[in-house]
Amino acid sequence: MPEATILCIDSSDHMRNGDYFPSRLMATQEVCNLVIGSKMQSNPENTIGFLTMGGKACAVRETLTADVDRVMASITSIPVSGGLHFIHGLQIASLALSHRTNPRSEKRIVAFVGSPLGDAVTPQVLEKLAKKLRKDDVSVDIVSIGQEENNERLEKF
């Protein structure tokens, strides 16, 4: 079955941290390249897109496409700034998935989080978002990098 995947990449200031060599952002970029290669090898009809969740606002950098080279080139030029917008990033990713070219494609979001979620991201807000995503048949995978205080809330999500 073909799959439409949106990668949500944390591009906030915390991703400059060097606890993962050479930085959290570069480690995330390497993992994204592996995920993209794996997805495209498993089924040539798969499509990939990505957005950044840092800075002043979330930004879709690549819409859903089968052009692996274009996506990988865009991932290497992610600007790092600002804070994390986790909830908005997942909402925008869900909206981007609704505009996929193949309506039979399964919807998936892979989110990379390397910053504290903040006080605004309460368990109630996460539960409401999870119910909405489940209703829309969107599968969500979250990769938490270096922030132990996020684990409890993300596991409940």
Side-chain angles (χ1 to χ4, degrees):
M1 188 86 177
E3 189 173 73
T5 305
I6 294 283
L7 304 173
C8 297
I9 301 172
D10 182 358
S11 62
S12 64
D13 287 330
H14 281 85
M15 295 301 280
R16 289 189 176 124
N17 195 338
D19 54 351
Y20 292 89
F21 182 76
S23 69
R24 290 182 186 182
L25 182 63
M26 293 189 81
T28 301
Q29 289 170 339
E30 290 178 24
V31 171
C32 287
N33 287 337
L34 291 172
V35 168
I36 291 168
S38 172
K39 291 284 183 191
M40 296 311 287
Q41 283 180 353
S42 66
N43 189 344
E45 293 182 23
N46 286 348
T47 55
I48 302 269
F50 84 95
L51 62 87
T52 56
M53 299 186 293
K56 293 182 180 178
C58 298
V60 176
R61 300 288 178 182
E62 285 294 332
T63 57
L64 290 170
T65 182
D67 187 359
V68 176
D69 295 331
R70 190 172 83 187
V71 175
M72 286 188 179
S74 295
I75 284 180
T76 60
S77 63
I78 296 174
V80 177
S81 66
L84 174 66
H85 306 286
F86 181 71
I87 299 295
H88 296 293
L90 292 182
Q91 290 171 339
I92 292 170
S94 176
L95 181 63
L97 284 170
S98 66
H99 296 290
R100 63 197 187 281
T101 55
N102 186 352
R104 294 181 305 123
S105 296
E106 294 180 8
K107 299 180 273 188
R108 178 172 299 276
I109 297 172
V110 180
F112 295 91
V113 180
S115 303
L117 291 177
D119 297 333
V121 183
T122 63
Q124 293 81 15
V125 171
L126 286 173
E127 183 178 347
K128 183 177 177 182
L129 178 62
K131 286 181 180 179
K132 181 186 180 306
L133 292 172
R134 188 179 315 130
K135 178 183 167 200
D136 294 340
D137 290 327
V138 178
S139 302
V140 180
D141 298 314
I142 298 177
V143 180
S144 180
I145 304 167
Q147 294 295 330
E148 301 298 324
E149 64 267 12
N150 292 344
N151 289 351
E152 184 179 333
R153 285 187 277 178
L154 291 177
E155 284 176 7
K156 288 181 181 178
F157 175 76

Short mmCIF file of all heavy atoms in Angstrom, two decimals, residues 50-54 57-62 92:
data_model
loop_
_atom_site.label_atom_id
_atom_site.label_comp_id
_atom_site.label_asym_id
_atom_site.label_seq_id
_atom_site.Cartn_x
_atom_site.Cartn_y
_atom_site.Cartn_z
N PHE A 50 8.33 17.46 3.95
CA PHE A 50 8.75 17.80 5.31
C PHE A 50 8.48 19.25 5.62
O PHE A 50 8.31 20.09 4.74
CB PHE A 50 10.22 17.43 5.55
CG PHE A 50 11.22 18.46 5.11
CD1 PHE A 50 11.73 19.38 6.01
CD2 PHE A 50 11.67 18.49 3.81
CE1 PHE A 50 12.65 20.31 5.61
CE2 PHE A 50 12.60 19.42 3.40
CZ PHE A 50 13.10 20.33 4.31
N LEU A 51 8.39 19.50 6.93
CA LEU A 51 8.21 20.86 7.42
C LEU A 51 9.09 21.06 8.64
O LEU A 51 9.51 20.11 9.27
CB LEU A 51 6.74 21.15 7.73
CG LEU A 51 6.01 20.34 8.79
CD1 LEU A 51 6.21 20.95 10.18
CD2 LEU A 51 4.54 20.31 8.49
N THR A 52 9.36 22.32 8.93
CA THR A 52 10.14 22.65 10.12
C THR A 52 9.21 23.23 11.17
O THR A 52 8.26 23.93 10.85
CB THR A 52 11.25 23.67 9.78
OG1 THR A 52 10.65 24.82 9.19
CG2 THR A 52 12.27 23.06 8.83
N MET A 53 9.51 22.91 12.43
CA MET A 53 8.65 23.35 13.54
C MET A 53 9.35 24.38 14.41
O MET A 53 8.97 24.59 15.55
CB MET A 53 8.26 22.15 14.41
CG MET A 53 7.48 21.09 13.70
SD MET A 53 6.88 19.79 14.78
CE MET A 53 8.40 19.00 15.30
N GLY A 54 10.38 25.04 13.92
CA GLY A 54 11.10 26.04 14.71
C GLY A 54 10.96 27.41 14.10
O GLY A 54 10.34 27.61 13.06
N ALA A 57 7.44 30.57 13.10
CA ALA A 57 6.26 29.77 12.75
C ALA A 57 6.70 28.51 12.03
O ALA A 57 7.83 28.40 11.57
CB ALA A 57 5.32 30.59 11.87
N CYS A 58 5.80 27.56 11.92
CA CYS A 58 6.07 26.33 11.16
C CYS A 58 6.07 26.68 9.67
O CYS A 58 5.34 27.55 9.23
CB CYS A 58 4.99 25.29 11.44
SG CYS A 58 4.92 24.80 13.16
N ALA A 59 6.90 25.95 8.92
CA ALA A 59 6.98 26.21 7.49
C ALA A 59 7.11 24.89 6.74
O ALA A 59 7.96 24.07 7.06
CB ALA A 59 8.18 27.10 7.18
N VAL A 60 6.26 24.70 5.73
CA VAL A 60 6.36 23.53 4.88
C VAL A 60 7.49 23.80 3.89
O VAL A 60 7.42 24.73 3.10
CB VAL A 60 5.04 23.26 4.13
CG1 VAL A 60 5.19 22.09 3.17
CG2 VAL A 60 3.91 22.99 5.12
N ARG A 61 8.54 23.00 3.97
CA ARG A 61 9.71 23.20 3.09
C ARG A 61 9.56 22.43 1.79
O ARG A 61 10.03 22.88 0.76
CB ARG A 61 10.99 22.75 3.81
CG ARG A 61 11.27 23.50 5.08
CD ARG A 61 11.69 24.89 4.77
NE ARG A 61 11.90 25.61 6.03
CZ ARG A 61 12.24 26.86 6.09
NH1 ARG A 61 12.41 27.55 5.00
NH2 ARG A 61 12.40 27.43 7.25
N GLU A 62 8.96 21.25 1.84
CA GLU A 62 8.71 20.44 0.64
C GLU A 62 7.34 19.81 0.77
O GLU A 62 7.04 19.16 1.77
CB GLU A 62 9.76 19.34 0.47
CG GLU A 62 11.10 19.80 -0.01
CD GLU A 62 11.09 20.37 -1.42
OE1 GLU A 62 10.23 19.97 -2.24
OE2 GLU A 62 11.93 21.23 -1.70
N ILE A 92 -0.40 21.31 10.86
CA ILE A 92 -0.07 21.67 9.48
C ILE A 92 0.30 20.42 8.69
O ILE A 92 -0.07 20.28 7.52
CB ILE A 92 1.07 22.71 9.46
CG1 ILE A 92 0.55 24.03 10.01
CG2 ILE A 92 1.63 22.90 8.05
CD1 ILE A 92 1.61 25.07 10.26
#
